[in-house]
Amino acid sequence: MGNAKKAGGAGLRGQVAGQTALCTVGKQGTGLTYRGYDVDDLATNASFYEVAHLIIHGHLPNQNELDAYKKKINGLRALPEAVKKTLELIPADAHPMDVMRTGTSMLGNLETETDFDQQRDKADRLVATLPGMICYWYQFVTNGKRIDTASDIDGVGAHFLEMLHGKAPSDLHARVMDVSLILYAEHEFNASTFTGRVVASTLSDIHSCVTASIGALRGHLHGGANEAAMAMLAKWSTPEEATAAIDEMLKNKTLIMGFGHAVYTEFDPRNAIIKKWSQQLAEEYGDDTLYRVSCAVEQKMWDEKKLFPNADFFHASAYHFMGIPTELFTPIFVMSRVTGWTAHVFEQRENNRIIRPNADYTGPEARKVEPIENR
Ligand SMILES: CC(=O)SCCNC(=O)CCNC(=O)[C@H](O)C(C)(C)COP(=O)(O)OP(=O)(O)OC[C@H]1O[C@@H](n2cnc3c(N)ncnc32)[C@H](O)[C@@H]1OP(=O)(O)O
Ligand SMILES: O=C([O-])CC(=O)C(=O)O
């Protein structure tokens, strides 16, 4: 890990690597838009179904289209038997992101994309089944239950909570999950999306693209930060304890999970939205310690480093207040970002050229193979 930054070089920061009509990130330093709509507007006035339709199908649906889209997604939730059997074979101590990766890959074996004309249906099927994949495996390995993932509950996030907790969520929890999925849906050329576009540029199938994107999202520097932030926050029981620990961590040059961003320079617009919902959940939960600890960390990071929380930081407390196990945090990100990933696959295919940059060579000068006895 020590040489990770050096080996990665400048990380292509600030370089334009292609075009997209899907999203702007940090334009004029701050904003986030999906196909021209501000994320704040979407998180206030739309559902995740509408945002998924916007991203995958290109426009916000009218009422008839929305009704039909809900019916389609909800009708696609049942998992094929072979996917269930595969999930049952994954060990209980596997990382849930590996479960998402394997489930997606298995679905790709059973429902292979044989023609790019099928791409939007394949994307919708993934939106419908990813929550079921993780919950089916989770319930099987923790409670020995083989749950039925078919359901007509309204909401992709509500469906996830229903399968996780065995009952329909409260209106508040269903709404927060919906907002969370909206916030995570799309983010231009982030690492996991760019990964998917690279795979798409070889004219590979959509399940291969999404499987590769899941692998890229899993790391703690990207989507895995929500889980890592929760693991860190869980160690502290007071704001003072958290502040002192952050002091020490910064002195030791430890990265604080859930802070900083490769593009935003002033703030992450998703943070204020999820922070507000986290506060509301804390009130409902009846113990706001975790929220206050999180606020103390936010203040300390700003005072010491002028670093701000990214989308992942207050998601940690919000998910925790809804009784979601920490190891399932990043799979929720997958359930949402699959919309952005697949839309980028479509976009790459529309105007494709294989993505193949060059490297600056830093190895030895040209040399001859020494006979083996002289080496
Ligand atoms: C949904 C998402 O994927 S959002 C990102 C989620 N990831 C995290 O929260 C992990 C923690 N954050 C980080 O590792 C980074 O901020 C990243 C990966 C998000 C961005 O990385 P970069 O663009 O390379 O960071 P950047 O160049 O702005 O860093 C500037 C300086 O701030 C430091 N810094 C950046 N983030 C942090 C942090 N979270 N904690 C402590 N220091 C940090 C860097 O070490 C660097 O210090 P240096 O100049 O002494 O080397
Ligand atoms: O854009 C990035 O680099 C990371 C991020 O916030 C995201 O993917 O949501």
Side-chain angles (χ1 to χ4, degrees), residues 236-308:
W236 306 317
S237 19
T238 63
E240 295 71 27
E241 208 184 308
T243 308
I246 292 287
D247 226 2
E248 205 49 38
M249 289 167 84
L250 290 178
K251 275 190 201 128
N252 295 332
K253 301 235 172 270
T254 308
L255 278 177
I256 312 299
M257 291 296 143
F259 283 84
H261 201 273
V263 180
Y264 296 122
T265 53
E266 296 165 33
F267 60 88
D268 182 330
R270 300 166 294 185
N271 176 57
I273 302 170
I274 195 63
K275 182 181 174 186
K276 196 186 74 190
W277 285 107
S278 176
Q279 182 177 21
Q280 199 169 322
L281 288 167
E283 282 162 22
E284 183 217 44
Y285 190 72
D287 176 357
D288 67 354
T289 310
L290 177 60
Y291 179 76
R292 287 186 297 107
V293 163
S294 303
C295 291
V297 174
E298 179 183 27
Q299 189 62 51
K300 182 74 180 168
M301 286 297 285
W302 185 253
D303 293 346
E304 296 293 325
K305 297 275 288 183
K306 294 288 167 280
L307 281 172
F308 50 86

Side-chain angles (χ1 to χ4, degrees), residues 5 13 220-222 225 255-256 258-260 262 307 310 312 333:
K5 187 163 182 184
R13 197 71 73 257
H220 287 175
L221 296 190
H222 192 11
L255 278 177
I256 312 299
F259 283 84
L307 281 172
N310 55 52
D312 284 331
F333 200 151

Side-chain angles (χ1 to χ4, degrees), residues 57-68:
H57 296 274
H59 64 276
L60 279 177
N62 62 28
Q63 190 62 55
N64 286 343
E65 287 170 325
L66 177 60
D67 294 345

Side-chain angles (χ1 to χ4, degrees), residues 78-251:
L79 297 176
E81 281 306 312
V83 168
K84 292 191 218 166
K85 287 216 163 61
T86 303
L87 294 171
E88 288 176 21
L89 291 171
I90 301 176
D93 63 355
H95 193 284
M97 285 296 278
D98 298 344
V99 176
M100 299 300 262
R101 194 189 62 214
T102 300
T104 302
S105 188
M106 187 60 188
L107 193 71
N109 284 297
L110 301 167
E111 301 177 8
T112 310
E113 185 191 33
T114 52
D115 188 315
F116 289 172
D117 284 350
Q118 303 162 345
Q119 61 186 8
R120 287 189 168 73
D121 286 336
K122 298 295 175 192
D124 287 339
R125 175 76 162 141
L126 283 165
V127 170
T129 50
L130 283 164
M133 284 181 204
I134 194 60
C135 290
Y136 185 88
W137 171 80
Y138 186 77
Q139 290 292 3
F140 182 76
V141 296
T142 55
N143 300 318
K145 284 190 195 157
R146 290 185 168 88
I147 60 164
D148 185 0
T149 62
S151 164
D152 53 15
I153 193 167
D154 190 16
V156 174
H159 180 218
F160 168 76
L161 290 178
E162 180 186 53
M163 291 183 288
L164 181 67
H165 297 314
K167 60 178 188 338
S170 66
D171 289 348
L172 173 64
H173 291 195
R175 182 65 197 142
V176 178
M177 277 303 296
D178 219 46
V179 168
S180 165
L181 296 176
I182 291 170
L183 297 182
Y184 272 146
E186 162 53 12
H187 221 243
E188 198 222 36
F189 278 15
N190 60 85
S192 55
T193 301
F194 194 64
T195 300
R197 282 190 82 128
V198 171
V199 180
S201 82
T202 71
L203 301 184
S204 188
D205 68 290
I206 199 163
H207 299 95
S208 294
C209 299
V210 173
T211 303
S213 292
I214 292 171
L217 189 72
R218 183 190 195 289
H220 287 175
L221 296 190
H222 192 11
N226 57 12
E227 175 186 330
M230 186 63 230
M232 175 185 78
L233 290 164
K235 293 183 198 148
W236 306 317
S237 19
T238 63
E240 295 71 27
E241 208 184 308
T243 308
I246 292 287
D247 226 2
E248 205 49 38
M249 289 167 84
L250 290 178
K251 275 190 201 128

